Amino acid sequence: GDEEGGTEKTPIHYRFQSNEGDDDEESDYDDDGRRRRRRNENSESPRKDAVTQYMSTKRGSVSVRMSSAFVGFSMGGFLGKSIMNNPKPLSQILCILFFLMGFLRNDYGELSRALGLALILTIRRTTNVRKRYPTAPHLKALLRAGQRKPFPPLDGDDEKENPWRYQPVYNDDPDFRMPYALIAMVLVGSIAGGNIHLPLFPAWIGGIGGAALLAFLTVSTGSSRGDLARAMGMRVVSLAEEALNINKDLRVFRKVGTVSGLIFDKILIIDRKHRVKDRIIQGFTWIYDKASNTAAQVQADIKEQ
């Protein structure tokens, strides 16, 4: 009776455990007797790649290719303006080049598609960062068009503001780190102040002044100006973190390094005929001389003051 009951409860397709070994251990040979290739644990399957998954639909594929073309257009415009003081020709060339590279099944194509998807993800996550750290309430309070909302928010009934000791309590409390926000605003202030050209002051003085001003606003409490500066600082920090996460997901830096190595190898081949290396050395020498002259000018300005 017990044996029959046990037999009846056993599924038809039940697979009894084998004593020959663990089924999870893969044999060194396949069914045809050929040796299996070693798997690289660091590499992902093409089907699991973030770019491949996003481009699995027609809409995603078109979006990535158009985005990569826009990346090429922007890079060409920047390089053309910096080198030839004319962004139009180089921007058009790189726009078409990046778009066509997106169809290639090699390292160049992977880089083009990764840059295109990186731009799409950056735009999406920038919107999330703006919602996470809104600045409109602080601007309204600054213009006296609304009530002040302290940032970071006050902890419970504690009316004494101390952004250095802030800790999120509830799930909807924003993530705030005062040292990071301060460093971000110092960098923003130095860049913005350095680009302001005043007739009697060199650019480096403007950078120091801008950094000091935004640092003062960031650490100030009890005013909407400090709230706005801290919210903007956390925006910059969050955008930097999102950029690192995007690079981790898409491996953009690694792909840029791979393509740069391929281009450098081809340049070395061409150098044997056209002496490209000598021209590159001349270019770096010119940059070094330019930097040295700028440093000497800064020292002269300090001595005059």
Side-chain angles (χ1 to χ4, degrees):
D2 294 339
E3 295 180 357
E4 292 179 358
T7 305
E8 290 176 358
K9 292 181 180 180
T10 302
I12 298 176
H13 300 289
Y14 181 82
R15 182 178 179 182
F16 292 91
Q17 187 174 1
S18 175
N19 294 326
E20 296 179 357
D22 191 0
D23 293 336
D24 295 335
E25 295 182 358
E26 189 177 26
S27 175
D28 295 334
Y29 297 88
D30 57 14
D31 296 337
D32 297 331
R34 293 175 296 187
R35 297 179 64 186
R36 296 184 186 273
R37 291 185 176 272
R38 183 184 296 270
R39 292 183 179 179
N40 187 1
E41 297 179 356
N42 296 327
S43 62
E44 295 183 356
S45 173
R47 295 183 180 181
K48 296 182 180 180
D49 183 71
V51 178
T52 304
Q53 290 182 351
Y54 191 88
M55 296 182 65
S56 59
T57 61
K58 185 175 181 181
R59 181 178 180 181
S61 178
V62 173
S63 300
V64 170
R65 299 188 195 283
M66 296 301 296
S67 178
S68 62
F70 182 78
V71 171
F73 180 84
S74 302
M75 291 178 59
F78 175 77
L79 294 175
K81 183 67 175 178
S82 303
I83 299 174
M84 302 180 295
N85 200 22
N86 185 8
K88 190 174 181 180
L90 196 56
S91 61
Q92 293 176 349
I93 294 174
L94 289 186
C95 177
I96 298 174
L97 180 62
F98 271 63
F99 179 77
L100 296 178
M101 282 168 52
F103 294 93
L104 300 177
R105 298 293 180 181
N106 53 18
D107 294 324
Y108 298 99
E110 290 185 4
L111 175 61
S112 174
R113 292 187 291 270
L115 290 175
L117 182 55
L119 177 60
I120 295 174
L121 295 179
T122 300
I123 295 174
R124 288 184 177 180
R125 299 184 184 184
T126 299
T127 304
N128 296 332
V129 170
R130 292 177 59 185
K131 293 180 180 178
R132 199 182 312 154
Y133 300 101
T135 56
H138 309 306
L139 287 173
K140 291 181 180 180
L142 184 62
L143 299 175
R144 298 188 178 182
Q147 294 182 352
R148 176 175 175 252
K149 295 182 178 180
F151 183 83
L154 297 177
D155 184 9
D157 297 332
D158 188 8
E159 296 181 356
K160 185 178 180 181
E161 297 183 31
N162 190 353
W164 295 95
R165 299 178 61 181
Y166 169 79
Q167 292 291 337
V169 178
Y170 302 100
N171 292 331
D172 56 348
D173 285 344
D175 182 20
F176 178 79
R177 288 158 289 177
M178 185 63 182
Y180 288 7
L182 179 60
I183 293 174
M185 293 306 289
V186 167
L187 292 176
V188 172
S190 62
I191 295 173
N195 289 324
I196 297 177
H197 300 287
L198 299 176
L200 299 178
F201 298 94
W204 63 271
I205 293 182
I208 295 176
L213 176 61
L214 292 188
F216 172 76
L217 293 176
T218 304
V219 300
S220 62
T221 58
S223 65
S224 56
R225 291 174 296 181
D227 300 331
L228 178 61
R230 288 187 289 272
M232 293 176 61
M234 283 309 300
R235 275 193 177 185
V236 176
V237 172
S238 297
L239 288 175
E241 291 177 345
E242 294 294 346
L244 293 176
N245 291 331
I246 291 173
N247 175 68
K248 182 179 179 181
D249 295 336
L250 304 181
R251 302 179 181 179
V252 178
F253 289 163
R254 180 182 298 181
K255 294 175 182 178
V256 170
T258 301
V259 173
S260 301
L262 294 174
I263 295 175
F264 186 73
D265 291 340
K266 293 184 178 180
I267 290 177
L268 292 179
I269 296 174
I270 299 175
D271 178 62
R272 300 173 183 176
K273 298 181 179 179
H274 304 283
R275 294 183 178 179
V276 179
K277 182 175 67 177
D278 296 337
R279 299 181 182 181
I280 293 176
I281 294 175
Q282 292 177 359
F284 279 109
T285 303
W286 180 83
I287 295 174
Y288 176 76
D289 294 338
K290 193 77 174 179
S292 300
N293 294 332
T294 303
Q297 184 178 359
V298 170
Q299 292 178 356
D301 294 336
I302 295 176
K303 293 179 179 180
E304 290 178 359
Q305 296 178 359

mmCIF file of all heavy atoms in Angstrom, residues 163-195:
data_model
loop_
_atom_site.group_PDB
_atom_site.id
_atom_site.type_symbol
_atom_site.label_atom_id
_atom_site.label_comp_id
_atom_site.label_asym_id
_atom_site.label_seq_id
_atom_site.Cartn_x
_atom_site.Cartn_y
_atom_site.Cartn_z
ATOM 1 N N PRO A 163 23.169 71.950 7.946
ATOM 2 C CA PRO A 163 23.243 71.023 6.801
ATOM 3 C C PRO A 163 24.374 70.015 6.910
ATOM 4 O O PRO A 163 24.342 68.979 6.258
ATOM 5 C CB PRO A 163 23.432 71.963 5.604
ATOM 6 C CG PRO A 163 23.966 73.230 6.181
ATOM 7 C CD PRO A 163 23.381 73.347 7.546
ATOM 8 N N TRP A 164 25.389 70.296 7.724
ATOM 9 C CA TRP A 164 26.501 69.361 7.867
ATOM 10 C C TRP A 164 26.093 68.096 8.610
ATOM 11 O O TRP A 164 26.695 67.047 8.422
ATOM 12 C CB TRP A 164 27.659 70.038 8.608
ATOM 13 C CG TRP A 164 28.271 71.167 7.851
ATOM 14 C CD1 TRP A 164 27.967 72.486 7.973
ATOM 15 C CD2 TRP A 164 29.283 71.082 6.850
ATOM 16 N NE1 TRP A 164 28.720 73.242 7.112
ATOM 17 C CE2 TRP A 164 29.553 72.398 6.409
ATOM 18 C CE3 TRP A 164 29.998 70.024 6.286
ATOM 19 C CZ2 TRP A 164 30.490 72.692 5.428
ATOM 20 C CZ3 TRP A 164 30.947 70.316 5.314
ATOM 21 C CH2 TRP A 164 31.186 71.619 4.893
ATOM 22 N N ARG A 165 25.069 68.185 9.456
ATOM 23 C CA ARG A 165 24.652 67.048 10.261
ATOM 24 C C ARG A 165 23.358 66.427 9.755
ATOM 25 O O ARG A 165 22.749 65.623 10.448
ATOM 26 C CB ARG A 165 24.460 67.500 11.717
ATOM 27 C CG ARG A 165 25.724 68.045 12.353
ATOM 28 C CD ARG A 165 25.463 68.508 13.771
ATOM 29 N NE ARG A 165 24.990 67.395 14.608
ATOM 30 C CZ ARG A 165 24.668 67.524 15.888
ATOM 31 N NH1 ARG A 165 24.753 68.711 16.480
ATOM 32 N NH2 ARG A 165 24.257 66.477 16.577
ATOM 33 N N TYR A 166 22.947 66.777 8.549
ATOM 34 C CA TYR A 166 21.672 66.267 8.035
ATOM 35 C C TYR A 166 21.754 64.768 7.766
ATOM 36 O O TYR A 166 22.737 64.270 7.212
ATOM 37 C CB TYR A 166 21.301 67.005 6.746
ATOM 38 C CG TYR A 166 20.140 66.376 6.000
ATOM 39 C CD1 TYR A 166 18.834 66.582 6.410
ATOM 40 C CD2 TYR A 166 20.374 65.573 4.880
ATOM 41 C CE1 TYR A 166 17.773 66.004 5.730
ATOM 42 C CE2 TYR A 166 19.317 64.996 4.201
ATOM 43 C CZ TYR A 166 18.030 65.217 4.636
ATOM 44 O OH TYR A 166 16.983 64.635 3.945
ATOM 45 N N GLN A 167 20.686 64.071 8.168
ATOM 46 C CA GLN A 167 20.530 62.654 7.883
ATOM 47 C C GLN A 167 19.084 62.409 7.453
ATOM 48 O O GLN A 167 18.159 62.855 8.143
ATOM 49 C CB GLN A 167 20.848 61.790 9.112
ATOM 50 C CG GLN A 167 22.295 61.806 9.534
ATOM 51 C CD GLN A 167 23.194 61.098 8.532
ATOM 52 O OE1 GLN A 167 22.742 60.256 7.768
ATOM 53 N NE2 GLN A 167 24.478 61.436 8.548
ATOM 54 N N PRO A 168 18.858 61.729 6.322
ATOM 55 C CA PRO A 168 17.470 61.459 5.921
ATOM 56 C C PRO A 168 16.783 60.529 6.907
ATOM 57 O O PRO A 168 17.360 59.521 7.329
ATOM 58 C CB PRO A 168 17.620 60.821 4.538
ATOM 59 C CG PRO A 168 19.017 60.299 4.498
ATOM 60 C CD PRO A 168 19.834 61.196 5.369
ATOM 61 N N VAL A 169 15.548 60.883 7.278
ATOM 62 C CA VAL A 169 14.794 60.112 8.258
ATOM 63 C C VAL A 169 13.714 59.285 7.583
ATOM 64 O O VAL A 169 13.571 58.088 7.842
ATOM 65 C CB VAL A 169 14.169 61.049 9.319
ATOM 66 C CG1 VAL A 169 13.333 60.243 10.320
ATOM 67 C CG2 VAL A 169 15.255 61.832 10.037
ATOM 68 N N TYR A 170 12.952 59.901 6.700
ATOM 69 C CA TYR A 170 11.849 59.231 6.037
ATOM 70 C C TYR A 170 12.261 58.832 4.617
ATOM 71 O O TYR A 170 13.268 59.302 4.075
ATOM 72 C CB TYR A 170 10.616 60.136 5.995
ATOM 73 C CG TYR A 170 10.165 60.571 7.378
ATOM 74 C CD1 TYR A 170 10.495 61.827 7.878
ATOM 75 C CD2 TYR A 170 9.427 59.715 8.181
ATOM 76 C CE1 TYR A 170 10.092 62.231 9.143
ATOM 77 C CE2 TYR A 170 9.014 60.101 9.451
ATOM 78 C CZ TYR A 170 9.353 61.357 9.921
ATOM 79 O OH TYR A 170 8.954 61.744 11.179
ATOM 80 N N ASN A 171 11.450 57.983 4.006
ATOM 81 C CA ASN A 171 11.779 57.466 2.675
ATOM 82 C C ASN A 171 11.784 58.560 1.616
ATOM 83 O O ASN A 171 12.515 58.473 0.629
ATOM 84 C CB ASN A 171 10.795 56.363 2.281
ATOM 85 C CG ASN A 171 10.950 55.121 3.129
ATOM 86 O OD1 ASN A 171 12.053 54.836 3.622
ATOM 87 N ND2 ASN A 171 9.875 54.369 3.314
ATOM 88 N N ASP A 172 10.928 59.579 1.802
ATOM 89 C CA ASP A 172 10.852 60.637 0.797
ATOM 90 C C ASP A 172 11.817 61.786 1.080
ATOM 91 O O ASP A 172 11.796 62.798 0.373
ATOM 92 C CB ASP A 172 9.428 61.177 0.704
ATOM 93 C CG ASP A 172 8.913 61.678 2.053
ATOM 94 O OD1 ASP A 172 9.570 61.400 3.069
ATOM 95 O OD2 ASP A 172 7.849 62.337 2.076
ATOM 96 N N ASP A 173 12.651 61.667 2.115
ATOM 97 C CA ASP A 173 13.652 62.702 2.383
ATOM 98 C C ASP A 173 14.743 62.661 1.318
ATOM 99 O O ASP A 173 15.193 61.582 0.914
ATOM 100 C CB ASP A 173 14.287 62.495 3.761
ATOM 101 C CG ASP A 173 13.357 62.904 4.886
ATOM 102 O OD1 ASP A 173 12.373 63.608 4.602
ATOM 103 O OD2 ASP A 173 13.606 62.502 6.038
ATOM 104 N N PRO A 174 15.177 63.814 0.845
ATOM 105 C CA PRO A 174 16.209 63.835 -0.201
ATOM 106 C C PRO A 174 17.559 63.395 0.329
ATOM 107 O O PRO A 174 17.879 63.572 1.507
ATOM 108 C CB PRO A 174 16.234 65.300 -0.638
ATOM 109 C CG PRO A 174 15.777 66.057 0.561
ATOM 110 C CD PRO A 174 14.765 65.181 1.246
ATOM 111 N N ASP A 175 18.352 62.839 -0.568
ATOM 112 C CA ASP A 175 19.723 62.472 -0.231
ATOM 113 C C ASP A 175 20.587 63.718 -0.344
ATOM 114 O O ASP A 175 20.689 64.326 -1.405
ATOM 115 C CB ASP A 175 20.220 61.378 -1.180
ATOM 116 C CG ASP A 175 21.630 60.932 -0.842
ATOM 117 O OD1 ASP A 175 22.051 61.173 0.303
ATOM 118 O OD2 ASP A 175 22.304 60.360 -1.717
ATOM 119 N N PHE A 176 21.196 64.118 0.747
ATOM 120 C CA PHE A 176 21.990 65.342 0.768
ATOM 121 C C PHE A 176 23.306 65.078 1.481
ATOM 122 O O PHE A 176 23.324 64.500 2.578
ATOM 123 C CB PHE A 176 21.237 66.484 1.469
ATOM 124 C CG PHE A 176 22.028 67.753 1.566
ATOM 125 C CD1 PHE A 176 22.144 68.596 0.487
ATOM 126 C CD2 PHE A 176 22.677 68.088 2.751
ATOM 127 C CE1 PHE A 176 22.892 69.765 0.573
ATOM 128 C CE2 PHE A 176 23.424 69.250 2.850
ATOM 129 C CZ PHE A 176 23.526 70.086 1.752
ATOM 130 N N ARG A 177 24.410 65.506 0.854
ATOM 131 C CA ARG A 177 25.741 65.389 1.434
ATOM 132 C C ARG A 177 26.451 66.728 1.280
ATOM 133 O O ARG A 177 26.821 67.124 0.182
ATOM 134 C CB ARG A 177 26.517 64.268 0.742
ATOM 135 C CG ARG A 177 26.038 62.863 1.092
ATOM 136 C CD ARG A 177 26.438 61.861 0.055
ATOM 137 N NE ARG A 177 25.681 62.036 -1.182
ATOM 138 C CZ ARG A 177 25.884 61.319 -2.282
ATOM 139 N NH1 ARG A 177 26.822 60.406 -2.300
ATOM 140 N NH2 ARG A 177 25.143 61.539 -3.349
ATOM 141 N N MET A 178 26.564 67.403 2.382
ATOM 142 C CA MET A 178 27.099 68.770 2.372
ATOM 143 C C MET A 178 28.507 68.869 1.788
ATOM 144 O O MET A 178 28.770 69.770 0.984
ATOM 145 C CB MET A 178 27.056 69.341 3.789
ATOM 146 C CG MET A 178 27.469 70.794 3.872
ATOM 147 S SD MET A 178 26.341 71.861 2.946
ATOM 148 C CE MET A 178 27.132 73.457 3.207
ATOM 149 N N PRO A 179 29.455 68.003 2.133
ATOM 150 C CA PRO A 179 30.800 68.147 1.534
ATOM 151 C C PRO A 179 30.780 68.040 0.016
ATOM 152 O O PRO A 179 31.458 68.814 -0.673
ATOM 153 C CB PRO A 179 31.588 67.000 2.173
ATOM 154 C CG PRO A 179 30.874 66.696 3.447
ATOM 155 C CD PRO A 179 29.427 66.939 3.159
ATOM 156 N N TYR A 180 29.993 67.101 -0.514
ATOM 157 C CA TYR A 180 29.931 66.937 -1.961
ATOM 158 C C TYR A 180 29.290 68.158 -2.622
ATOM 159 O O TYR A 180 29.743 68.626 -3.679
ATOM 160 C CB TYR A 180 29.154 65.680 -2.322
ATOM 161 C CG TYR A 180 29.875 64.387 -2.027
ATOM 162 C CD1 TYR A 180 31.073 64.366 -1.336
ATOM 163 C CD2 TYR A 180 29.345 63.169 -2.434
ATOM 164 C CE1 TYR A 180 31.738 63.188 -1.058
ATOM 165 C CE2 TYR A 180 30.003 61.967 -2.164
ATOM 166 C CZ TYR A 180 31.192 61.999 -1.472
ATOM 167 O OH TYR A 180 31.845 60.831 -1.200
ATOM 168 N N ALA A 181 28.207 68.661 -2.023
ATOM 169 C CA ALA A 181 27.540 69.837 -2.585
ATOM 170 C C ALA A 181 28.465 71.045 -2.575
ATOM 171 O O ALA A 181 28.495 71.828 -3.534
ATOM 172 C CB ALA A 181 26.259 70.130 -1.805
ATOM 173 N N LEU A 182 29.233 71.201 -1.506
ATOM 174 C CA LEU A 182 30.160 72.328 -1.420
ATOM 175 C C LEU A 182 31.259 72.223 -2.475
ATOM 176 O O LEU A 182 31.580 73.214 -3.154
ATOM 177 C CB LEU A 182 30.764 72.378 -0.019
ATOM 178 C CG LEU A 182 31.780 73.494 0.251
ATOM 179 C CD1 LEU A 182 31.151 74.853 0.035
ATOM 180 C CD2 LEU A 182 32.337 73.377 1.660
ATOM 181 N N ILE A 183 31.832 71.041 -2.636
ATOM 182 C CA ILE A 183 32.886 70.857 -3.645
ATOM 183 C C ILE A 183 32.331 71.114 -5.045
ATOM 184 O O ILE A 183 32.986 71.756 -5.886
ATOM 185 C CB ILE A 183 33.475 69.441 -3.536
ATOM 186 C CG1 ILE A 183 34.226 69.273 -2.218
ATOM 187 C CG2 ILE A 183 34.411 69.149 -4.705
ATOM 188 C CD1 ILE A 183 34.708 67.864 -1.961
ATOM 189 N N ALA A 184 31.118 70.649 -5.303
ATOM 190 C CA ALA A 184 30.511 70.844 -6.625
ATOM 191 C C ALA A 184 30.307 72.326 -6.917
ATOM 192 O O ALA A 184 30.619 72.805 -8.023
ATOM 193 C CB ALA A 184 29.179 70.096 -6.704
ATOM 194 N N MET A 185 29.818 73.087 -5.941
ATOM 195 C CA MET A 185 29.586 74.509 -6.170
ATOM 196 C C MET A 185 30.894 75.284 -6.285
ATOM 197 O O MET A 185 30.971 76.285 -7.007
ATOM 198 C CB MET A 185 28.728 75.074 -5.044
ATOM 199 C CG MET A 185 27.308 74.525 -5.031
ATOM 200 S SD MET A 185 26.458 74.732 -6.615
ATOM 201 C CE MET A 185 26.214 76.500 -6.632
ATOM 202 N N VAL A 186 31.932 74.847 -5.581
ATOM 203 C CA VAL A 186 33.247 75.490 -5.733
ATOM 204 C C VAL A 186 33.762 75.297 -7.160
ATOM 205 O O VAL A 186 34.285 76.238 -7.782
ATOM 206 C CB VAL A 186 34.237 74.921 -4.699
ATOM 207 C CG1 VAL A 186 35.669 75.334 -5.038
ATOM 208 C CG2 VAL A 186 33.877 75.411 -3.302
ATOM 209 N N LEU A 187 33.608 74.087 -7.695
ATOM 210 C CA LEU A 187 34.040 73.841 -9.070
ATOM 211 C C LEU A 187 33.220 74.656 -10.062
ATOM 212 O O LEU A 187 33.776 75.240 -11.014
ATOM 213 C CB LEU A 187 33.919 72.347 -9.382
ATOM 214 C CG LEU A 187 34.883 71.425 -8.630
ATOM 215 C CD1 LEU A 187 34.592 69.968 -8.964
ATOM 216 C CD2 LEU A 187 36.324 71.758 -8.967
ATOM 217 N N VAL A 188 31.900 74.702 -9.860
ATOM 218 C CA VAL A 188 31.046 75.487 -10.756
ATOM 219 C C VAL A 188 31.413 76.964 -10.688
ATOM 220 O O VAL A 188 31.506 77.651 -11.717
ATOM 221 C CB VAL A 188 29.564 75.272 -10.403
ATOM 222 C CG1 VAL A 188 28.677 76.231 -11.188
ATOM 223 C CG2 VAL A 188 29.151 73.836 -10.700
ATOM 224 N N GLY A 189 31.642 77.461 -9.489
ATOM 225 C CA GLY A 189 32.001 78.864 -9.346
ATOM 226 C C GLY A 189 33.337 79.206 -9.971
ATOM 227 O O GLY A 189 33.495 80.267 -10.590
ATOM 228 N N SER A 190 34.311 78.309 -9.837
ATOM 229 C CA SER A 190 35.623 78.577 -10.432
ATOM 230 C C SER A 190 35.547 78.576 -11.953
ATOM 231 O O SER A 190 36.185 79.410 -12.607
ATOM 232 C CB SER A 190 36.630 77.543 -9.950
ATOM 233 O OG SER A 190 36.241 76.238 -10.352
ATOM 234 N N ILE A 191 34.767 77.661 -12.517
ATOM 235 C CA ILE A 191 34.636 77.622 -13.981
ATOM 236 C C ILE A 191 33.882 78.841 -14.495
ATOM 237 O O ILE A 191 34.290 79.484 -15.474
ATOM 238 C CB ILE A 191 33.928 76.324 -14.413
ATOM 239 C CG1 ILE A 191 34.798 75.112 -14.066
ATOM 240 C CG2 ILE A 191 33.627 76.345 -15.905
ATOM 241 C CD1 ILE A 191 34.117 73.782 -14.305
ATOM 242 N N ALA A 192 32.780 79.170 -13.819
ATOM 243 C CA ALA A 192 31.993 80.325 -14.260
ATOM 244 C C ALA A 192 32.766 81.620 -14.083
ATOM 245 O O ALA A 192 32.784 82.485 -14.975
ATOM 246 C CB ALA A 192 30.676 80.377 -13.487
ATOM 247 N N GLY A 193 33.420 81.776 -12.934
ATOM 248 C CA GLY A 193 34.184 82.997 -12.712
ATOM 249 C C GLY A 193 35.389 83.123 -13.625
ATOM 250 O O GLY A 193 35.755 84.228 -14.038
ATOM 251 N N GLY A 194 36.003 82.007 -13.971
ATOM 252 C CA GLY A 194 37.150 82.056 -14.870
ATOM 253 C C GLY A 194 36.804 82.441 -16.290
ATOM 254 O O GLY A 194 37.664 82.912 -17.044
ATOM 255 N N ASN A 195 35.539 82.240 -16.673
ATOM 256 C CA ASN A 195 35.104 82.598 -18.027
ATOM 257 C C ASN A 195 34.561 84.015 -18.117
ATOM 258 O O ASN A 195 34.139 84.440 -19.193
ATOM 259 C CB ASN A 195 34.035 81.616 -18.508
ATOM 260 C CG ASN A 195 34.622 80.245 -18.791
ATOM 261 O OD1 ASN A 195 35.745 80.144 -19.269
ATOM 262 N ND2 ASN A 195 33.879 79.200 -18.481
#
